[in-house]
Amino acid sequence: MKRASLNALRVLAAVAETRSFKGAADKLGVTQSAVSRQIQTLEEQLGLRLVQRDNRMHALTDAGSLLAPELQRIFSQLDELINTLTQSKAADIRTLRLAVHENCLQWFLAPWLDDFHSLYPHLKLQIQQADEYLTEASANDWRNALERNEVDVVLSCGQMRGKGVVMTPVQEFHWQLHGDAKGPLFSVIGSGDLSNLTQQQRNAGTTLTYRGVQEVANTGMALTLAQLQHGQLLMPSHYSQPRQGQRLALDLPAQELTVEAPGMLQTFHARHKENELAVVAFTNWLRHVVTV
């Protein structure tokens, strides 16, 4: 038996659907005589009569009735797959859902993103807001979000414990004191900046004079208030270092004091995603760019 022609099989499926050679010809955009030839060729290849030809009626034989439904199912699935690949471009574009705080995005990550997109044009970043510093409560929330597949990667400072989460160190940083030494000190909640500074001063047997402490939600708020109220803040070094020729304009003088106890900027992703292309590409790229 000769192998059946794929075109002829598709023609038979069309005849079964439309119940006529004319209907099949209209559906496939060919002539009626072309449909007739394809059916005749298929019958010769299979050695079976598939369509009855009686007074222009084209009913299926028993063999045709057995074969046609399976052909219709197969071609329907094939058409759906081809449509998905060609119309949605889902095979070419992958989306990485990244959670990062707006300060970290603006002062650390954003200057590098053109480089990332040029290296990985097939990866699309979908960015949402994260915590600048992880607390125990927020770390639990983000761990649950990662494990429930609500986000792919979290970029933040701190720790996130759990067997289902992979932590990847990106950059160690210190805090540099900026601003008016006689003004109020603006400390970021959850950062550990003030506690580390206090411990360092205690160990050194020295004290730092400032006009009160005000706790704020993030570094951006601390910077704005320090500028407006002639105060001071502890700026993380990974914000103030030059990135791609750009440097954060603080408009505040740097003091001769650095908190030696380091913090750590890290990426976090679910363990079940550690081999996914988008996750691997982003985490490896980020670790590379901060070391060059």
Side-chain angles (χ1 to χ4, degrees):
M1 182 182 69
K2 296 180 181 179
R3 179 172 296 180
S5 163
L6 184 63
N7 285 338
L9 290 171
R10 185 177 280 278
V11 169
L12 178 61
V15 170
E17 180 182 346
T18 62
R19 300 181 181 275
S20 72
F21 283 7
K22 183 179 184 304
D26 293 340
K27 177 179 175 62
L28 299 174
V30 297
T31 64
Q32 188 170 336
S33 60
V35 169
S36 180
R37 286 195 301 271
Q38 288 284 0
I39 294 298
Q40 183 177 352
T41 298
L42 182 61
E43 289 176 332
E44 292 173 356
Q45 291 171 338
L46 298 179
L48 294 169
R49 191 75 167 174
L50 300 172
V51 179
Q52 296 176 356
R53 300 164 179 82
D54 183 19
N55 294 328
R56 298 185 179 180
M57 299 297 293
H58 302 112
L60 299 179
T61 64
D62 290 344
S65 297
L66 185 64
L67 181 59
E70 286 302 306
L71 290 177
Q72 290 173 306
R73 179 184 63 80
I74 292 170
F75 284 122
S76 176
Q77 291 178 343
L78 182 60
D79 289 341
E80 183 177 347
L81 175 59
I82 291 173
N83 182 65
T84 299
L85 293 175
T86 56
Q87 297 298 323
S88 70
K89 298 182 180 179
D92 298 326
I93 303 297
R94 294 174 184 265
T95 298
L96 177 74
R97 297 165 299 173
L98 172 66
V100 58
H101 190 269
E102 60 187 280
N103 293 161
C104 188
L105 175 63
Q106 179 181 0
W107 296 330
F108 174 76
L109 184 61
W112 297 110
L113 288 182
D114 283 345
D115 175 76
F116 176 78
H117 291 306
S118 65
L119 286 173
Y120 301 103
H122 59 290
L123 294 182
K124 174 185 176 183
L125 287 180
Q126 185 180 89
I127 299 176
Q128 58 182 282
Q129 180 83 323
D131 296 88
E132 186 177 18
Y133 295 93
L134 293 174
T135 63
E136 183 177 353
S138 64
N140 287 335
D141 291 340
W142 284 112
R143 181 179 61 249
N144 292 334
L146 288 168
E147 292 177 346
R148 290 196 299 262
N149 199 34
E150 296 171 359
V151 64
D152 298 314
V153 176
V154 176
L155 177 61
S156 187
C157 301
Q159 302 290 320
M160 190 184 299
R161 304 298 183 185
K163 294 181 179 179
V165 174
V166 177
M167 294 189 300
T168 304
V170 175
Q171 187 174 43
E172 185 178 272
F173 65 91
H174 297 79
W175 289 273
Q176 175 73 46
L177 193 62
H178 290 261
D180 187 341
K182 297 180 181 180
L185 176 64
F186 296 95
S187 171
V188 178
I189 298 171
S191 68
D193 55 2
L194 182 59
S195 59
N196 284 324
L197 173 62
T198 302
Q199 184 63 47
Q200 180 172 308
Q201 295 292 302
R202 186 180 296 117
N203 293 341
T206 60
T207 58
L208 183 68
T209 59
Y210 43 80
R211 196 176 72 247
V213 175
Q214 297 184 32
E215 292 188 328
V216 296
N218 57 64
T219 303
M221 288 184 180
L223 177 58
T224 299
L225 290 170
Q227 291 171 331
L228 292 175
Q229 299 184 24
H230 304 288
Q232 51 192 320
L233 79 155
L234 289 156
M235 175 63 69
S237 58
H238 63 294
Y239 286 173
S240 55
Q241 291 173 352
R243 299 289 177 196
Q244 295 288 75
Q246 301 181 36
R247 178 185 287 274
L248 172 62
L250 287 176
D251 294 328
L252 292 172
Q255 300 180 34
E256 295 296 326
L257 192 151
T258 300
V259 177
E260 298 301 330
M264 183 63 72
L265 178 66
Q266 306 198 82
T267 60
F268 307 88
H269 63 266
R271 190 168 298 279
H272 67 263
K273 285 181 172 284
E274 59 185 338
N275 294 319
E276 283 199 7
L277 172 63
V279 172
V280 172
F282 180 80
T283 54
N284 287 347
W285 165 82
L286 187 56
R287 294 181 68 189
H288 170 74
V289 296
V290 299
T291 58
V292 296

